[in-house]
Amino acid sequence: MKVYRVDVQSRLLLGTAGYPSPAILSQAVQASRTDVVTVSLRRESSGDRAGQGFWSLVRDLKVRVLPNTAGCHSVKEAVTTAHMAREVFGTSWIKLEVIGEDDTLQPDVFGLVEAARILSAEGFQVFPYTTEDLIVAERLLEAGCEVLMPWGAPIGSGRGLNNLFGLKALRARFADVPLIVDAGIGVPSHAAQALEIGFDAVLINTAVARAVDPVQMAGAFALAVEAGRAAYLAGPVEPRDLAVPSTPLIGRAFLE
Amino acid sequence: MKVQVNGVWREVTSCDVASLLKELNYGDSVVATAVNGVFVATGSRSGAPVSDGDRLEVLAPMQGG
């Protein structure tokens, strides 16, 4: 998969939040075989300097980082956070989140488009966390985005692909744009399904981090995206309403 | 003077971001800074004034999804 002219080998992007320990995060990243992890920025206390230890751990993983603007509710907050992230993480990649509603963490797509336009003009390579809305997608591409990250379901809900029809329509409408399902995936079969319908990748966090065994689950997701992609390339059959016998009837014995 | 550092009021003496970070013992930590919601890049910290009542945000890498 090519995103902003960068070759990304794995079709699984992994979030780094909520793991039982730094060691388990590290092992999960390895088990997932991902080459992109998402990270964030938070207030640093000069006492414990927790962020410094985390940053050193991530650097040791030798993967690309995709900083996010999680928790931002306004264009100004998101743009300022992106500036701060670019300096700290040394990348122009930014996973742009402008949250519009707290119960569902649904993106404020109006603010999202505005922030995407500002950041793209400033040279950022924006990964917008959006809905499956086709018109918003069009506006984001016009704003300069070269990848779209529609939600599968609300962040952390584990509900899978809530609007399969909408996601398929998005895939069909923007055949050449890298599409990554971000948020809401709960189990590997959801990830496989996203890849089967032609999405380029999935971004997972909670489903791995909060599993009983995050390392094993990371490995399961790695297999799922591989299977889903292979199935997409193989060309799945269309569902039908009536049965079709798979065993040929010609030559069947008459045994009545 | 009093400055709000990451949401907590602190009594400080430094008048620019660079010296304030030193005063607050951030040392060589990898952090990004903003004063009153405006990003202050590393290279501009020495010339970025901090006045009584200002809000300083000091952010560092953290786990994220």
Side-chain angles (χ1 to χ4, degrees), chain A residues 37 54 112-113 127 135 137 139 212 238 253:
Chain A
V37 298
F54 170 71
L112 182 69
V113 171
F127 293 61
I135 313 308
R139 297 286 185 276
V212 173
E238 287 299 322

mmCIF file of all heavy atoms in Angstrom, chain A residues 37 54 112-113 127 135 137 139 212 238 253:
data_model
loop_
_atom_site.group_PDB
_atom_site.id
_atom_site.type_symbol
_atom_site.label_atom_id
_atom_site.label_comp_id
_atom_site.label_asym_id
_atom_site.label_seq_id
_atom_site.Cartn_x
_atom_site.Cartn_y
_atom_site.Cartn_z
ATOM 1 N N VAL A 37 2.523 2.864 13.714
ATOM 2 C CA VAL A 37 1.766 2.924 14.968
ATOM 3 C C VAL A 37 1.311 4.359 15.216
ATOM 4 O O VAL A 37 1.983 5.310 14.821
ATOM 5 C CB VAL A 37 2.584 2.440 16.193
ATOM 6 C CG1 VAL A 37 2.994 0.992 16.038
ATOM 7 C CG2 VAL A 37 3.800 3.319 16.441
ATOM 8 N N PHE A 54 8.156 6.557 27.082
ATOM 9 C CA PHE A 54 7.309 6.009 26.018
ATOM 10 C C PHE A 54 7.940 6.265 24.649
ATOM 11 O O PHE A 54 7.985 5.390 23.787
ATOM 12 C CB PHE A 54 5.912 6.646 26.089
ATOM 13 C CG PHE A 54 5.061 6.330 24.898
ATOM 14 C CD1 PHE A 54 4.560 5.047 24.704
ATOM 15 C CD2 PHE A 54 4.778 7.303 23.949
ATOM 16 C CE1 PHE A 54 3.795 4.735 23.590
ATOM 17 C CE2 PHE A 54 4.012 7.003 22.835
ATOM 18 C CZ PHE A 54 3.513 5.716 22.649
ATOM 19 N N LEU A 112 -13.357 19.225 10.474
ATOM 20 C CA LEU A 112 -12.343 18.337 9.909
ATOM 21 C C LEU A 112 -11.859 18.839 8.550
ATOM 22 O O LEU A 112 -10.656 18.919 8.286
ATOM 23 C CB LEU A 112 -12.935 16.933 9.773
ATOM 24 C CG LEU A 112 -12.015 15.849 9.244
ATOM 25 C CD1 LEU A 112 -10.923 15.513 10.257
ATOM 26 C CD2 LEU A 112 -12.808 14.585 8.906
ATOM 27 N N VAL A 113 -12.818 19.187 7.693
ATOM 28 C CA VAL A 113 -12.461 19.664 6.350
ATOM 29 C C VAL A 113 -11.664 20.966 6.457
ATOM 30 O O VAL A 113 -10.645 21.150 5.782
ATOM 31 C CB VAL A 113 -13.721 19.864 5.481
ATOM 32 C CG1 VAL A 113 -13.384 20.567 4.173
ATOM 33 C CG2 VAL A 113 -14.389 18.517 5.201
ATOM 34 N N PHE A 127 -4.160 12.445 7.479
ATOM 35 C CA PHE A 127 -4.963 11.219 7.507
ATOM 36 C C PHE A 127 -6.241 11.582 8.272
ATOM 37 O O PHE A 127 -6.244 11.552 9.509
ATOM 38 C CB PHE A 127 -4.228 10.109 8.253
ATOM 39 C CG PHE A 127 -2.982 9.590 7.590
ATOM 40 C CD1 PHE A 127 -1.892 10.422 7.348
ATOM 41 C CD2 PHE A 127 -2.873 8.254 7.222
ATOM 42 C CE1 PHE A 127 -0.732 9.932 6.755
ATOM 43 C CE2 PHE A 127 -1.726 7.759 6.628
ATOM 44 C CZ PHE A 127 -0.651 8.596 6.388
ATOM 45 N N ILE A 135 -19.730 12.990 0.327
ATOM 46 C CA ILE A 135 -19.474 14.396 0.005
ATOM 47 C C ILE A 135 -18.362 14.953 0.897
ATOM 48 O O ILE A 135 -17.495 15.700 0.443
ATOM 49 C CB ILE A 135 -20.760 15.248 0.153
ATOM 50 C CG1 ILE A 135 -21.935 14.550 -0.540
ATOM 51 C CG2 ILE A 135 -20.559 16.648 -0.399
ATOM 52 C CD1 ILE A 135 -21.686 14.139 -1.976
ATOM 53 N N ALA A 137 -16.009 13.144 2.043
ATOM 54 C CA ALA A 137 -14.804 12.533 1.481
ATOM 55 C C ALA A 137 -14.286 13.362 0.306
ATOM 56 O O ALA A 137 -13.082 13.625 0.194
ATOM 57 C CB ALA A 137 -15.114 11.109 1.029
ATOM 58 N N ARG A 139 -14.756 16.521 -0.252
ATOM 59 C CA ARG A 139 -14.208 17.789 0.269
ATOM 60 C C ARG A 139 -12.820 17.579 0.880
ATOM 61 O O ARG A 139 -11.943 18.425 0.768
ATOM 62 C CB ARG A 139 -15.137 18.400 1.322
ATOM 63 C CG ARG A 139 -16.506 18.781 0.815
ATOM 64 C CD ARG A 139 -16.472 20.044 -0.050
ATOM 65 N NE ARG A 139 -17.807 20.455 -0.422
ATOM 66 C CZ ARG A 139 -18.517 19.985 -1.448
ATOM 67 N NH1 ARG A 139 -17.984 19.066 -2.238
ATOM 68 N NH2 ARG A 139 -19.737 20.420 -1.692
ATOM 69 N N VAL A 212 -7.712 -10.035 26.311
ATOM 70 C CA VAL A 212 -7.119 -10.727 27.461
ATOM 71 C C VAL A 212 -5.628 -10.965 27.200
ATOM 72 O O VAL A 212 -4.785 -10.781 28.074
ATOM 73 C CB VAL A 212 -7.848 -12.066 27.731
ATOM 74 C CG1 VAL A 212 -7.141 -12.861 28.808
ATOM 75 C CG2 VAL A 212 -9.299 -11.781 28.132
ATOM 76 N N GLU A 238 -20.621 -13.288 -5.349
ATOM 77 C CA GLU A 238 -21.708 -12.415 -4.896
ATOM 78 C C GLU A 238 -22.697 -13.241 -4.078
ATOM 79 O O GLU A 238 -22.993 -14.383 -4.450
ATOM 80 C CB GLU A 238 -22.432 -11.820 -6.105
ATOM 81 C CG GLU A 238 -21.632 -10.743 -6.830
ATOM 82 C CD GLU A 238 -21.311 -9.544 -5.943
ATOM 83 O OE1 GLU A 238 -22.183 -9.164 -5.136
ATOM 84 O OE2 GLU A 238 -20.188 -9.015 -6.034
ATOM 85 N N ALA A 253 -26.599 -40.495 -10.098
ATOM 86 C CA ALA A 253 -27.241 -41.800 -10.195
ATOM 87 C C ALA A 253 -28.739 -41.683 -9.935
ATOM 88 O O ALA A 253 -29.165 -40.804 -9.188
ATOM 89 C CB ALA A 253 -26.612 -42.755 -9.190
#
